[in-house]
Amino acid sequence: MTAEANPRTRQGTWVRVVVRGAVLTVVLLGLVVFSVLLAKVTLTPSPASEDLVTSNLRPGRSLRQYAEDYTFLAACKQAGGNLLLGVPFGLLLPFFVPRRLRMIRMTLLTAVAMAVVELIQGALVAGRAFDIDDVILNTAGALLGYFVLGRRITHRYYVYADVPAPSERPAEPEPAPEPKRTPRPTTGAKAARTKPAGAKGTRTKSAGTKTATTKGTSTKKPRSLLDRVRTRIRNR
């Protein structure tokens, strides 16, 4: 990396740190404001409905009651209010949840938080009771907010905060040249197979000595006088 790129890298790093801190601060303030509004909506006593409200541990019982006993607008208001109450969880919680299994963790956190709120309602607040259908609707609202907008926002945030820009990435080192291979000395069986320089001459010389010895040791038999005379007569 050149010396000119170092100031750019430092500047880009500081910009990402500042932006990340600002985003997390805004999200944290949003969670605080949402928690206050959630407590005001869910933990406010309602003495007028104290004799009418009962606890519900069967999933779908309250939804069936909305459809049968409530008017269309009242049912939409009741069910839609619980859905909208869970949407901020899907928008804000993913910023504080690790990337791995983010949706599942966000869903579990929402379900646990709303279950705790419902338990507090049933135990401490007058005119309110625990309702499992409210927990289901709140969790569904969190999933709706996550898929509609929360997933895109958190994805862009993590990409900008974690991955450096192309101009700020360190230069890749050049590949080192491969070392030249030197021939290995022949040892063992290979050395035994290789013939020495003087081996051929020695073998030839020994062959010549053998030939000369053979010639020297083989002597011709002397011909007799009668054979010599016969040969001369034939030659004439």
Side-chain angles (χ1 to χ4, degrees):
M1 184 183 297
T2 59
E4 297 178 356
N6 290 331
R8 295 181 181 178
T9 303
R10 295 176 182 175
Q11 183 179 1
T13 303
W14 279 108
V15 169
R16 287 198 301 272
V17 170
V18 171
V19 171
R20 186 170 185 176
V23 171
L24 291 179
T25 303
V26 172
V27 173
L28 186 60
L29 291 176
L31 278 176
V32 173
V33 174
F34 171 68
S35 300
V36 174
L37 293 177
L38 180 64
K40 186 177 180 180
V41 171
T42 58
L43 301 180
T44 302
S46 179
S49 58
E50 187 173 357
D51 297 332
L52 302 175
V53 176
T54 57
S55 299
N56 176 31
L57 299 178
R58 294 181 181 180
R61 180 181 176 183
S62 296
L63 296 177
R64 192 179 305 111
Q65 185 179 3
Y66 297 157
E68 295 176 356
D69 300 338
Y70 285 51
T71 62
F72 179 76
L73 293 177
C76 290
K77 182 179 179 181
Q78 190 70 23
N82 286 321
L83 280 173
L84 292 177
L85 199 61
V87 170
F89 284 105
L91 299 179
L92 302 177
L93 282 182
F95 286 92
F96 301 98
V97 177
R99 290 185 178 183
R100 188 177 182 181
L101 304 176
R102 180 182 298 161
M103 185 189 70
I104 297 176
R105 294 183 179 183
M106 183 271 302
T107 304
L108 292 177
L109 286 175
T110 303
V112 171
M114 297 312 300
V116 171
V117 171
E118 290 291 327
L119 288 173
I120 295 174
Q121 279 185 348
L124 302 177
V125 182
R128 300 199 179 261
F130 179 86
D131 194 342
I132 190 64
D133 286 337
D134 290 348
V135 178
I136 295 174
L137 289 174
N138 297 146
T139 307
L143 288 173
L144 181 64
Y146 176 76
F147 282 113
V148 172
L149 191 59
R151 181 174 58 176
R152 299 177 183 179
I153 296 176
T154 52
H155 177 71
R156 292 183 181 180
Y157 165 74
Y158 279 109
V159 168
Y160 178 79
D162 295 346
V163 181
S167 60
E168 299 172 358
R169 294 177 184 174
E172 298 181 357
E174 298 181 357
E178 298 182 358
K180 297 182 178 180
R181 298 181 179 179
T182 56
R184 298 180 180 179
T186 55
T187 56
K190 291 184 179 181
R193 293 178 184 178
T194 306
K195 297 179 182 180
K200 187 174 181 180
T202 308
R203 187 174 181 180
T204 307
K205 187 175 181 181
S206 61
T209 306
K210 184 178 180 181
T211 306
T213 307
T214 305
K215 290 182 179 181
T217 53
S218 61
T219 56
K220 296 182 179 180
K221 296 181 180 179
R223 293 186 295 177
S224 59
L225 181 61
L226 181 60
D227 294 334
R228 293 177 182 178
V229 173
R230 289 177 181 177
T231 303
R232 289 180 180 179
I233 293 173
R234 291 175 182 176
N235 293 334
R236 289 179 182 178

